[in-house]
Amino acid sequence: MVKYQVTKTLVTKPNDNSANAIAPNLIYGCFGGCVNTYCYMSRYNGKRIFVNTNVMDIVSSVYEWAKDYVKVPDQQDPVYKMVDVACNTDLVLMQKHCPIPLIDYLKMYDDYADINSTMATKYPGLLKLDVNHFNKKPRVRVSLMPQSYSDILEPKMQSIESRINDINRLKSLGWEVHINYSPVVLYKNFKSEYRNLFNMVNDIAGENKCEVIFMTNHPLQMEKASGEAMEVMQYSNEVKNKSGVMRYPLELKRKAIGIFKEEYSELFDVKSIRYIF
C-alpha cells in the first residue's frame, strides 16, 4: 500500500550518529528485502508506505534547524551540517515514489550553503544520478554485510559484491561514498566472514570511511521472520528498553567489536571508522 499525504510531523531531530540531524520523512516505509527480518522501521509499519507531498515544508524544517545549529568539526563531517534525508526508507530504492525527482530534492539541501545530505542504501546499483554539478558532494552510505548473512536476512536484494563494485562508479558521478557496515551480524564464522568481506572491499574499492552498527532486534521482527532468519538473529536477545528493542549482550558485543576492529585493521586504518556501536 502506498499512501500520498501531507505530513504534519515536521520536526528535524538531532542525531549524533550518521548525521547531525534527521530530516522529517519524505517517505516512511520501504519495499526492501530486509522488511521481514531486521528492519526497525517495519516493526510497526509493516509494508505500508507513506509518501509526504509537502516537500517544501519538510525542507523548511531542516533550514530552520540549520539556522540555530552551531557546527563544530565532528565525526559526522568537519565542515557541513549533515542531515540524514532517508532515515526511515531507502530513497534510492523508493525514488520512483518520490513526490519530486530525487535529484531535485537533494539539490534543495545542496543550495543551502552549510548543509549537506546523507542517506544509506542497499541498492547502489539503482543510483544513477550525476551530481558533479552540485556545490558539494552529497553523501551516500553503501550498506554491506557478508553475503552468506545477506542471503538470509536480505533476500532478493542487490548482491554484496555488486554493491561494492558500485562504490567507485558513484564517486565518478560526484558522490561522497562511505560504507555502512550495518547491521553487523554475530553468527557462525563471524570472524572469517567479515575478514572475507574486508578483503573484497579492499580488492574492489579500497579504503573508504565507514560506520559500524551492530544489529538490534525486536519480538515483532522475530514473529514474522523465517526460521532461518530467526536463527541468524537469535543472539541479539538482550532487552534494551521498555519498547522491547533487543541487542547483543554487552559483553558479547564488546568482544565482537574488538574482533571487528582487529580484522579491519589488517587492511584499513581504524581511524577510517567514523563510529562503531
Side-chain angles (χ1 to χ4, degrees):
M1 180 197 83
V2 179
K3 179 181 179 181
Y4 290 82
Q5 63 179 19
V6 173
T7 183
K8 296 180 181 179
T9 307
L10 295 168
V11 179
T12 297
K13 299 178 181 179
N15 181 263
D16 287 318
N17 294 326
S18 299
N20 297 120
I22 298 172
N25 293 313
L26 182 66
I27 297 178
Y28 184 82
C30 189
F31 290 136
C34 54
V35 167
N36 288 328
T37 55
Y38 60 79
C39 177
Y40 69 88
M41 177 279 309
S42 71
R43 287 168 186 166
Y44 302 101
N45 194 55
K47 294 185 178 180
R48 295 176 297 171
I49 309 298
F50 297 93
V51 178
N52 297 319
T53 58
N54 49 329
V55 178
M56 281 311 306
D57 292 336
I58 291 170
V59 176
S60 294
S61 170
V62 177
Y63 286 179
E64 286 300 314
W65 163 82
K67 286 179 183 177
D68 298 325
Y69 184 79
V70 179
K71 176 69 182 187
V72 295
D74 52 28
Q75 62 88 1
Q76 285 85 12
D77 195 85
V79 177
Y80 298 116
K81 302 172 182 180
M82 298 301 300
V83 179
D84 193 327
V85 298
C87 184
N88 290 305
T89 193
D90 188 323
L91 266 186
V92 175
L93 173 64
M94 302 298 290
Q95 59 186 296
K96 68 179 181 181
H97 297 286
C98 288
I100 64 171
L102 178 56
I103 196 164
D104 293 344
Y105 181 59
L106 297 174
K107 191 68 173 69
M108 290 180 183
Y109 297 110
D110 183 60
D111 287 340
Y112 196 106
D114 56 357
I115 291 177
N116 203 1
S117 61
T118 179
M119 59 183 181
T121 184
K122 298 177 179 69
Y123 296 88
L126 298 178
L127 188 54
K128 309 291 186 182
L129 303 178
D130 190 322
V131 293
N132 280 301
H133 62 290
F134 275 34
N135 299 307
K136 45 195 177 289
K137 293 177 181 291
R139 181 181 298 166
V140 62
R141 293 143 29 227
V142 176
S143 298
L144 302 178
M145 69 169 61
Q147 186 64 58
S148 63
Y149 302 162
S150 180
D151 288 341
I152 298 168
L153 299 177
E154 304 173 337
K156 300 179 181 179
M157 293 175 73
Q158 183 177 345
S159 74
I160 299 301
E161 184 174 0
S162 69
R163 295 183 208 181
I164 299 169
N165 277 318
D166 278 316
I167 289 174
N168 288 331
R169 178 185 64 82
L170 291 173
K171 288 180 180 179
S172 72
L173 291 175
W175 293 87
E176 178 188 2
V177 184
H178 289 195
I179 291 175
N180 181 31
Y181 291 107
S182 172
V184 175
V185 179
L186 302 184
Y187 190 55
K188 294 176 181 177
N189 305 316
F190 162 75
K191 184 174 181 178
S192 61
E193 288 285 358
Y194 278 91
R195 180 189 304 137
N196 292 338
L197 177 60
F198 297 151
N199 279 319
M200 187 184 301
V201 170
N202 185 53
D203 291 344
I204 297 174
E207 182 171 281
N208 290 265
K209 288 184 179 180
C210 69
E211 58 190 27
V212 185
I213 306 170
F214 280 68
M215 186 177 70
T216 59
N217 202 351
H218 194 278
L220 292 177
Q221 292 302 104
M222 294 295 271
E223 285 177 8
K224 58 185 176 180
S226 68
E228 197 172 18
M230 288 174 63
E231 181 182 345
V232 175
M233 297 191 294
Q234 65 178 311
Y235 301 112
S236 183
N237 58 13
E238 181 178 270
V239 177
K240 178 182 178 182
N241 56 35
K242 293 181 180 179
S243 66
V245 173
M246 300 183 294
R247 63 187 174 192
Y248 291 112
L250 289 179
E251 186 58 33
L252 173 63
K253 186 174 179 179
R254 194 175 293 115
K255 291 178 180 178
I257 287 174
I259 293 170
F260 187 100
K261 285 184 173 180
E262 181 182 359
E263 292 299 322
Y264 186 87
S265 67
E266 291 293 320
L267 295 168
F268 309 118
D269 186 347
V270 174
K271 292 180 180 179
S272 65
I273 300 176
R274 294 197 295 120
Y275 63 90
I276 181 169
F277 68 87

